[in-house]
Structure formats: structure tokens, C-alpha cells
């Protein structure tokens, strides 16, 4: 009994302190309700954004499926051929421009070489 009388004041002061520290430690280990609600609203907002994006993608996919399912008409083929021929014409003009530049450089180099040979 003497043992209990000696230890009781120490145990009665340390036990609430240890329980308080344990409660504080547990409180830090788990998220607060406000944090969870904020996280839930953020997740709901992100889901809504992704749902809108998904709906947009689905409509684009449907449009592409319709285009792929239907054979091209004569008008669309003619339009695409006109676009290809226009692009090809631009490429040819670019190649001609590069050829003109090379011809000019060749003439310049010939002139330099003939001047160098004369000296």
C-alpha cells in the first residue's frame, strides 16, 4: 500500500500529460473534417472538368466515325486534290527558288575562280 501512495501523485500527473500527448499525436495523424470536405469538393470539381472534356472527346469521336464510315464524295475528293496540287505548286516554287540561288552562287564562284586564275 505504501508503494501506491508514493507512485499515485506521479502517476496522476503523468497520465493526463501522456494521454494529452497521445491525443495530439493522433490528431496529427488523421485529416481534419474541414480538410476532407475541401478535398472532396476539389475532387468533385476535377471530376466535373474531366466529364466535360470526355463529352467533348466523345462528340469528336462520333464526328470522325461518321466521316470514316461515309465514302468521300466527288466534290470532297476534288477539293482535296486541289489542296494537294496547291501545296505541290508551293513546294515546286520553293525548289525553283533554291535552284535560282544555287545558280547565282555557282556563277559567283566561277567568277571568283576565273579572277583567281587570271592573277
Amino acid at each position: 500500500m505504501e508503494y501506491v501512495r508514493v507512485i499515485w501523485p506521479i502517476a496522476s500527473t503523468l497520465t493526463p500529460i501522456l494521454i494529452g500527448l497521445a491525443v495530439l499525436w493522433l490528431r496529427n495523424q488523421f485529416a481534419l473534417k474541414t480538410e476532407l470536405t475541401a478535398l472532396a469538393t476539389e475532387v468533385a470539381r476535377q471530376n466535373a472538368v474531366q466529364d466535360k472534356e470526355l463529352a467533348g472527346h466523345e462528340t469528336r469521336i462520333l464526328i470522325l466515325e461518321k466521316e470514316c464510315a461515309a465514302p468521300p464524295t466527288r466534290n470532297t475528293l476534288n477539293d482535296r486534290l486541289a489542296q494537294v496540287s496547291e501545296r505541290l505548286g508551293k513546294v515546286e516554287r520553293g525548289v525553283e527558288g533554291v535552284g535560282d540561288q544555287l545558280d547565282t552562287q555557282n556563277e559567283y564562284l566561277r567568277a571568283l575562280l576565273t579572277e583567281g586564275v587570271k592573277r
Side-chain angles (χ1 to χ4, degrees), residues 13-30:
T13 54
L14 287 180
T15 303
I17 292 172
L18 291 175
I19 290 173
L21 289 174
V23 167
L24 288 176
W25 180 77
L26 284 173
R27 186 175 181 192
N28 287 332
Q29 296 301 314
F30 299 105

Side-chain angles (χ1 to χ4, degrees), residues 4-68:
V4 172
R5 282 187 196 163
V6 172
I7 296 210
W8 181 254
I10 297 170
S12 64
T13 54
L14 287 180
T15 303
I17 292 172
L18 291 175
I19 290 173
L21 289 174
V23 167
L24 288 176
W25 180 77
L26 284 173
R27 186 175 181 192
N28 287 332
Q29 296 301 314
F30 299 105
L32 298 176
K33 186 176 181 179
T34 56
E35 293 172 346
L36 290 176
T37 55
L39 183 63
T41 56
E42 179 64 23
V43 167
R45 188 185 66 78
Q46 289 291 333
N47 283 342
V49 169
Q50 288 179 351
D51 287 343
K52 288 179 184 177
E53 289 177 358
L54 182 64
H57 292 312
E58 287 176 351
T59 55
R60 286 188 223 130
I61 288 172
L62 289 174
I63 291 170
L64 290 175
E65 285 176 348
K66 287 179 183 177
E67 285 182 5
C68 290

